[in-house]
Amino acid sequence: MIDFSYTAWILLLPIFLFIVIGLLGNRFKPIVSGIVGTSGLFIIWLLSLVTAYKYFFVLEKAADGSFLKFMAFNMRWLNLTDKLHIDMGVLLDPISVMMLIVITTVSLMVHLYSIGYMHGEKGFSRFFALLSLFSFSMLGLVVATNIFQMYVFWELVGVSSYLLIGFYYTKDSAVAASKKAFIVTRFADLGFLIGILMLSYVTGTFDFITLTGPDSPALTSGQGVWFLGLSTMTWSMIFVFMGGAGKSAMFPLHIWLPDAMEGPTPVSALIHAATMVVAGVYLVARLFPIYVFSAPVALDIVMWVGAFSSIFAAIIACTQYDIKRVLAYSTISQIGLMMFGLGVSGYGGHEGLGYMASMFHLFTHAFFKALLFLGAGAIIHAVHSNYMNDMGGLHKNLPITHATFLIACLAIAGVPPLAGFFSKDEILAAGSERSLLLYWVEMIVSGLTAFYMFRLYFSIFWGKKQEYHQTPHEAPKTMTIPLMILALGALLAGLIPFSNFVTSDRLPFVSHLDMGIAIPAVLVGLTGIVVAAFFYLKETDIPDKVFKALGSFSQAAFHKFYIDELYLFITKKIIFNYISRPVAWFDRHIVDGAMNGLAYITNETSDRIKKLQSGQLQQYALVFISGALLLVLLFVYLWTS
Amino acid sequence: MFEGIPLHWFLILGTIMFFVGIYGFLTRKNLITILMSIELILNSVNINFVAFNKFLYPDHLEGMFFTVFIIAVAAAETSIAIAIIINIYRRLVDIDVDKMNKMKY
Amino acid sequence: MTTNQLMFIIFSAIIIIFSVMTVTSRRILRAATYLLFVLVATAGLYFLLQFNFLAAIQLTIYVGGIVVLIIFSILLTSHIGDRLEAPGWKKIVPAILVATFGAVITLITVLQFDFPTKAITGSERTDIREIAKSLVSTEKFGYSLPFEVISILLLAAMVGAIILAKKRED
């Protein structure tokens, strides 16, 4: 058995970096913070790589050939009672090790990229400090040994996300977006917390290894019908999924993610594309055995929500003009796909194909979506606009960005042999075994994905020639190098035989490409690309015509199906009017009234009695002497026992 | 020398003197007359002390010493009070106690 | 009626009458003079009780010191011949009520109580030597501590009086 306890440093280093940069960052030149943060993260990245190598290749496996799932490090943090204690530690199993790689790689790239992108910004050190805080929270989340540790880091992730979205805190829209993100995810986390409490109440443990092990208390307890015909366990898992859906921006809690694009672009790449938003997927994957065996209804909900979110967001993505928003909706769509993959999956072996595919897609998606965001950042950096209407014909000005962006687009569109092809194909394969309807829905989603990505690509790099105030120029090396590295990842990540490493029961199996699914999927993707090329390669009026032909549907899609308006309606019109107003009235008139009344009475009384204090010595003396005499009378004559 | 005088006579005298002093304290306006009322009160107490000493504990001198000390304290008090009164008079050109309510509230 | 009783009645009559006049006289200098009479009569009572030393103190400090001080301050703050304005009924009525009420209560209480009077041996004059010994003794019935305390008090009062009465610079 190899000693893995050094993995605690993967957690401790980023928080150390956060403290150092946060406290001392302003003492030095801003670039020092960048270098310290990036090199610190480089060390963490190396540690993660070593851990992954040792875990997958050196560490001996269990008797049945599966990967071990064990605590590399554990510490009792809050010792409430003998039974109830909250631990902090590092749990190693295939998905947490995979997430370590994903997070540290993307985070390292983003750190490097940010040195160039954020150059000269006010708050450069603060930015790096917050990136470190985020890395800490996210790493803590994925290696959590128990569900409560996960919750703690989950909230920390929410906080750092809030701080980073609101990085430009002088901008009203950024402040509003950060508040929105925080409140929406917080609301969802309420569900998560309820879920945790129910789950731990029923099973009597927080521990992941116990919960997901073969003799988990979750399998036997809480199975009785509790509410609306569903068992306690099912409800608790639904609540837990609510938290996951909030963080992962699943319909209908997705509204914060597009607004979160107000943050700096590297942040969007790191948090809102590659790492934090997949926390929900990770959460479901972490508790997957419970979902499969104890709460299949909850798993169905995961499937439906995932499928609906993916098609819903894909349609919206086709109509948006802000390139970061297109990417945001694309992210929602892709995460929906991952959720769908988990939802259709069974447990063990080939049954667990969906699980494996989902994790695989999470892995590949992190690369190409981070790449897309960073590319978008480079483009915005060059053009100083977020809107694709302001762009066009950039392929000559930005050759490296162009090439890497194209790779990412091809990868997400599922063109073989790039990363997205393999993972998406596996998800579709898993879906086809479960539900034919949803299989075709996802097929359409992959077509739409190809379409909107290439719509983006063509409008930015080809299309009409645009007049620019100053000729856009390629970004500096610190920005292009991460782009190239991530492009390499997007090219090659799909070739990893993922089913050898990450599976639902940790037993490797061999997965094959199912040509019956791969070929139609590729064809659909290519169709999307061709249609996009047809629409946007040259400047034409076809898109407008199509847009008009679809009438109210496209209008609705353009307005994001009025979900934001619906929320506003519910909150402003219904909650404010019928709940908040009466509560506020009660607070102002009854609660405050009681307080004011007390103050008023005190004031009045004192006004009355302060005249007693006349400053007239003889009056005081009179009162004093009469009082003394009365006391004498009382104690000497009246109160004689 | 005092045979035939009951203790109660002294006490009655002290009581009357005391409450005459109280009356003066409550009605007089001039600060100096109030001071004089206080002297009356102190004096009545002195008479009581001395009488008690002589009639109840003729072997000791506590009552007498108390009186001595009270006289000393009265002297100190009077000197301070008169210093204060003179100060007030300098400021207000009046020593009417009714007008001395600047420090209320 | 013995001579003693007669003396006592004379003294107490003086005391009571002049006390009342002290607190009611509308000429302030006269009030001070009446106070003087009261204090002298009190000294007479002390003599009657054979506290010769105390009577001497009463005469020197009260009569010779305090009353003179009071008269001085009267001369400083009032015009001779000014009549004090009579207090209003609003003050007199409650004051009389309180004083009478208090006097009645006290008198009732005092008269009801039977004091265990010791047999009085008569011409027992307090020796001044004895007083001096007690005043500086630290044993039982010694008064050296209060004596010291009162010395400090007097010193402090003296300093305080000087500071207070001193003309301010401003």
Side-chain angles (χ1 to χ4, degrees), chain A residues 342-405:
Chain A
L342 283 175
V344 297
S345 176
Y347 189 79
H350 199 70
E351 287 286 301
L353 181 66
Y355 179 92
M356 184 284 276
S358 173
M359 290 295 108
F360 194 13
H361 198 58
L362 191 163
F363 184 74
T364 55
H365 173 258
F367 287 102
F368 55 69
K369 190 46 71 61
L371 175 53
L372 281 170
F373 266 106
L374 294 184
I379 295 159
I380 293 166
H381 192 75
V383 185
H384 301 293
S385 168
N386 273 11
Y387 289 92
M388 59 170 84
N389 295 351
D390 299 337
M391 302 166 187
L394 283 173
H395 66 282
K396 276 196 186 120
N397 303 87
L398 308 171
I400 299 174
T401 312
H402 169 232
T404 52
F405 204 84

Side-chain angles (χ1 to χ4, degrees), chain A residues 53-74:
Chain A
Y53 172 74
K54 277 185 174 174
Y55 182 81
F56 283 121
F57 298 108
V58 181
L59 183 70
E60 67 272 31
K61 295 176 183 170
D64 58 353
S66 65
F67 287 104
L68 287 173
K69 182 174 191 174
F70 63 96
M71 283 184 202
F73 169 82
N74 198 29

Side-chain angles (χ1 to χ4, degrees), chain B residues 1-13 15-17 19-30 32-33 35-37 39-40 42-43 46-47 50-80 82-87 89-91 95-98, chain C residues 2 4-5 8-9 12 15-16 19-20 22-25 28 31-32 35 38-39 42 45-46 48-51 53-54 57-58 61-62 66 69-70 73-74 76-78 84-85 87 91-92 95-96 99 102-103 106-107 110-111 113 115-118 120 122 124 126 130-131 134-135 141 143 146-147 150 153-154 157 160-161 164-168:
Chain B
M1 232 178 123
F2 52 93
E3 294 87 355
I5 311 171
L7 172 60
H8 284 142
W9 288 19
F10 284 94
L11 299 183
I12 292 167
L13 173 67
T15 309
I16 293 173
M17 199 176 165
F19 283 100
V20 167
I22 293 278
Y23 171 80
F25 187 86
L26 292 182
T27 51
R28 288 296 213 173
K29 279 187 152 184
N30 190 299
I32 295 173
T33 50
L35 195 60
M36 292 197 274
S37 308
E39 299 302 339
L40 282 181
L42 287 171
N43 222 47
N46 285 351
I47 291 174
V50 170
F52 278 131
N53 186 355
K54 206 67 188 177
F55 284 87
L56 301 183
Y57 305 99
D59 307 335
H60 302 304
L61 288 171
E62 277 117 327
M64 198 208 78
F65 278 115
F66 262 98
T67 307
V68 170
F69 291 136
I70 288 173
I71 290 173
V73 170
E77 169 242 306
T78 310
S79 62
I80 295 289
I82 283 173
I84 291 172
I85 289 169
I86 288 174
N87 237 342
Y89 181 76
R90 274 201 205 126
R91 300 229 158 187
I95 43 174
D96 187 343
V97 72
D98 289 347
Chain C
T2 62
N4 281 343
Q5 284 172 336
F8 179 84
I9 289 171
S12 46
I15 286 175
I16 291 171
S19 296
V20 173
T22 307
V23 297
T24 51
S25 168
I28 188 164
L35 177 67
V38 173
L39 296 175
T42 315
L45 276 185
Y46 294 162
L48 193 63
L49 286 169
Q50 293 180 326
F51 283 116
F53 175 66
L54 194 59
I57 287 180
Q58 172 88 0
I61 294 181
Y62 252 123
I66 295 176
L69 202 57
I70 287 176
S73 63
I74 290 172
L76 277 174
T77 57
S78 316
L84 298 170
E85 53 178 313
K91 269 187 165 177
I92 290 179
I96 287 181
T106 319
L107 285 178
V110 165
L111 291 177
F113 195 82
F115 291 100
T117 317
K118 293 227 169 125
I120 293 160
E124 225 180 84
T126 319
E130 205 181 318
I131 296 172
S134 307
L135 204 54
F141 302 119
Y143 291 88
F147 181 69
I150 215 86
L153 175 76
L154 283 172
L164 276 174
K166 210 171 68 175
K167 254 207 165 120
R168 297 278 160 89

Side-chain angles (χ1 to χ4, degrees), chain C residues 74-141:
Chain C
I74 290 172
L75 293 177
L76 277 174
T77 57
S78 316
H79 301 284
I80 308 296
D82 274 2
R83 290 168 75 87
L84 298 170
E85 53 178 313
W89 288 108
K90 271 189 176 177
K91 269 187 165 177
I92 290 179
V93 172
I96 287 181
L97 279 179
V98 164
T100 322
F101 175 64
V104 168
I105 286 188
T106 319
L107 285 178
I108 291 172
T109 317
V110 165
L111 291 177
Q112 272 179 354
F113 195 82
D114 189 23
F115 291 100
T117 317
K118 293 227 169 125
I120 293 160
T121 44
S123 58
E124 225 180 84
R125 187 171 293 143
T126 319
D127 189 7
I128 197 153
R129 195 185 299 261
E130 205 181 318
I131 296 172
K133 269 186 189 162
S134 307
L135 204 54
V136 292
S137 159
T138 53
E139 284 152 30
K140 204 179 180 191
F141 302 119

Side-chain angles (χ1 to χ4, degrees), chain A residues 214-246:
Chain A
D215 15 83
S216 159
L219 299 180
T220 49
S221 49
Q223 294 298 328
V225 171
W226 177 59
F227 186 63
L228 288 184
L230 297 176
S231 68
T232 321
M233 192 51 72
T234 310
W235 274 109
S236 75
M237 294 326 280
I238 289 172
F239 276 122
V240 167
F241 175 64
M242 180 178 162

Side-chain angles (χ1 to χ4, degrees), chain A residues 60 65-66 113 170 184 205 277 308 344 366 373 375 502 529 554 557 570 585 590 638:
Chain A
E60 67 272 31
S66 65
Y113 180 89
T170 48
V184 171
T205 180
V277 289
F308 184 75
V344 297
F373 266 106
V502 180
I529 295 171
S554 54
I570 291 172
W585 184 89
I590 310 293
L638 301 180

